[in-house]
Amino acid sequence: LTNMKGHGAVVPCRTCRLVGCLCAANSTYYYPITTPDGWDGQPYLRAIRQGGPDYDVSNLPYRDHESHGAHIRLIESASNAQDVMQGLGINGDSILRNLSSLRFPQSTPFGMAHLVCLNVVPRLIEHAIGEFTAVPNDGEPYAVPRETWKDLCTQLEASSATVPASYGKQFKNISQHKGDMVSEDWLNFLLYAALPMFATIYTSKESRPCLKLWVLLVEAIQDSIQYSIKRSTIGLIRKNIQKFV
Ligand SMILES: [Zn+2]
């Protein structure tokens, strides 16, 4: 409806203009805060990457209602419209812009649970258990032995029988049914199981900081999904997310 390119695009975000780097191993774009050495992406896109090759997480190149309008005018007047659309992450104008009560992008916020649970959490797990094949985890402090993970997932699933229903859906065995996990399953895992599980795994001096990362993520998501959020909590969420990335 917003007529923006969306996830998977070179410039995928409707809130900011983060420019992605192409991961040659699997031909997808990813969006590092610090670009890897020698990254040369597409020269045209690198040139428009605002703020240089590295991003300041407390000051991303945000979009606002006025700049969004200006970008649409740019696309409409460009002779190389496809390039401009790609560089801005916008396909064109949206019919919703006729409604004066709507502002881009503030009127179309993200659902934090879906944003994080369908992407960040499964990818972190894959990195930990060595299933993210493009980046091997040998010797990394966050690496979790497959057998340990399998064992903990079996225990987690079995624990469902003793968990009150008010805590939400039953836990699935992630090591067996990762493909069947919907956002709510990942959310339940993140809110209620991730910290005790990783506290069991990350016990050495080297791996402890990995547990702290999970704590930051859990706290940020827990705060973000409340029905009413105080302004001071928004500051806290921002801080936790900035520390996390
Ligand atoms: Zn963004």
Side-chain angles (χ1 to χ4, degrees):
L1 278 174
T2 55
N3 209 3
M4 304 194 64
K5 289 207 174 279
H7 70 280
V10 191
V11 181
C13 181
R14 62 176 178 259
T15 303
C16 72
R17 287 179 57 212
L18 208 74
V19 177
C21 301
L22 187 67
C23 178
N26 56 12
S27 305
T28 51
Y29 286 92
Y30 74 117
Y31 312 91
I33 295 304
T34 305
T35 49
D37 284 343
W39 176 68
D40 137 28
Q42 287 157 305
Y44 159 70
L45 294 167
R46 180 156 203 166
I48 57 160
R49 195 170 147 112
Q50 292 177 344
D54 301 334
Y55 289 117
D56 171 2
V57 286
S58 63
N59 184 27
L60 292 169
Y62 291 114
R63 300 176 191 271
D64 60 35
H65 192 68
E66 285 65 37
S67 69
H68 189 74
H71 290 156
I72 286 166
R73 286 192 293 280
L74 257 179
I75 291 168
E76 288 171 349
S77 62
S79 54
N80 56 339
Q82 286 300 331
D83 287 347
V84 180
M85 283 154 68
Q86 193 184 26
L88 296 172
I90 300 172
N91 282 328
D93 207 351
S94 160
I95 195 166
L96 293 178
R97 281 213 315 140
N98 293 313
L99 296 172
S100 59
S101 57
L102 293 190
R103 311 266 308 161
F104 281 76
Q106 296 92 325
S107 302
T108 58
F110 292 109
M112 280 301 275
H114 284 82
L115 187 68
V116 172
C117 292
L118 285 182
N119 219 319
V120 179
V121 177
R123 296 299 91 73
L124 286 175
I125 303 279
E126 284 165 9
H127 274 289
I129 61 175
E131 282 184 4
F132 197 91
T133 45
V135 184
N137 70 359
D138 302 328
E140 296 290 347
Y142 58 79
V144 177
R146 292 263 179 109
E147 284 311 309
T148 308
W149 182 247
K150 257 187 171 165
D151 185 32
L152 285 172
C153 288
T154 308
Q155 290 183 44
L156 176 66
E157 190 183 34
S159 76
S160 274
T162 58
V163 176
S166 57
Y167 282 90
K169 279 180 87 172
Q170 283 202 325
F171 291 120
K172 282 187 180 143
N173 184 328
I174 307 176
S175 74
Q176 279 179 8
H177 304 294
K178 192 155 66 64
D180 303 332
M181 303 265 294
V182 296
S183 177
E184 195 184 351
D185 293 310
W186 286 114
L187 187 66
N188 268 12
F189 163 75
L190 184 69
L191 295 184
Y192 305 121
L195 295 188
M197 279 172 82
F198 285 110
T200 312
I201 298 166
Y202 295 142
T203 50
S204 70
K205 196 167 143 258
E206 296 72 38
S207 60
R208 270 278 150 183
C210 304
L211 176 63
K212 290 206 177 115
L213 278 181
W214 281 100
V215 173
L216 289 172
L217 187 63
V218 171
E219 284 181 3
I221 301 311
Q222 197 147 34
D223 287 339
S224 316
I225 59 171
Q226 301 306 316
Y227 287 111
S228 122
I229 303 176
K230 288 190 179 139
R231 205 166 276 277
S232 58
T233 309
I234 293 177
L236 199 66
I237 296 169
R238 181 181 291 130
K239 245 201 207 145
N240 279 341
I241 291 281
Q242 285 173 1
K243 275 198 216 154
F244 173 77
V245 298

